[in-house]
Amino acid sequence: MDATTHVRVPLVEEGQAEGRLAELYADIKSNTNLPFVPDMFRLLSTRPDLLEGVVAGYKGMFITGIMPRATRELIAAWTSKVNQCPYCVGTHNFFFQAFGGPQETAQAVESAESVEDLPVDERTKVLLRLLTKLSKEAYKITDVDWKVATDAGWTSEELLEGFFIAGMFNFITRMVDGLGLGFSVAASRVSQQEVPTGGEV
């Protein structure tokens, strides 16, 4: 099935992109190191002004950063799981593994009911518990929650980065699902790629 069958907005094909959109498409492929523009970005292809914001957010999450790329991808995949977006789980499980994350953990993200089901260390669980709370009930986060995370060894700068990624994926998953792309992991062309050896794409 065409991954875009259920999409509710027009998508501009790469060969039809002109002007600023063509520049953004080239930028996306350069930064993702993929031979195509992921359909998540194409959801905004008729509005390059909006797409610019998403591209900037992607770069902020994944091109620069202080946490290891695999950790940032795990946050993206887990937040997508919390939001029940199989498209985004599949996409970022691919990148998680491409940047050195264990296949066992990626598979667990797909089926886990809670952070406690994930085969990760306690420090990582502390972070993911906090980011789960951010996704589900951010208004309930307290100074105590923050202290638990810093006591576990996370710096304020790392937590800010984690909050930014999880916050962005609370937006992205809603856009992907609401516009009809997130119905299945099979819709993610990224997840269908073979995970490269050597630790990165």
Side-chain angles (χ1 to χ4, degrees), residues 32-92:
T32 60
N33 203 24
L34 292 169
F36 56 86
V37 175
D39 292 321
M40 182 278 289
F41 292 105
R42 293 206 303 135
L43 291 173
L44 293 166
S45 58
T46 59
R47 288 290 305 274
D49 56 327
L50 300 181
L51 179 56
E52 286 205 42
V54 175
V55 173
Y58 180 90
K59 290 179 180 179
M61 290 186 289
F62 299 124
I63 303 308
T64 59
I66 56 175
M67 289 190 287
R69 178 69 182 266
T71 301
R72 288 177 275 150
E73 293 291 352
L74 178 60
I75 291 169
W78 179 250
T79 303
S80 300
K81 171 65 175 181
V82 170
N83 287 319
Q84 301 181 57
C85 180
Y87 173 97
C88 293
V89 172
T91 296
H92 291 280

Side-chain angles (χ1 to χ4, degrees), residues 139-194:
Y139 64 97
K140 291 186 179 179
I141 290 176
T142 66
D143 290 343
V144 172
D145 295 319
W146 190 266
K147 187 175 187 302
V148 168
T150 57
D151 285 351
W154 296 102
T155 67
S156 293
E157 291 79 8
E158 288 171 326
L159 292 176
L160 179 58
E161 185 169 85
F163 271 51
F164 179 75
I165 295 167
M168 281 293 296
F169 270 85
N170 279 294
F171 156 69
I172 288 170
T173 55
R174 282 157 177 77
M175 183 179 70
V176 167
D177 286 339
L179 293 177
L181 182 61
F183 67 98
S184 168
V185 67
S188 169
R189 288 189 288 164
V190 177
S191 72
Q192 308 308 309
Q193 305 296 300
E194 183 175 347

Side-chain angles (χ1 to χ4, degrees), residues 24-37:
L24 287 167
Y25 274 5
D27 196 21
I28 290 163
K29 289 200 287 187
S30 174
N31 282 287
T32 60
N33 203 24
L34 292 169
F36 56 86
V37 175

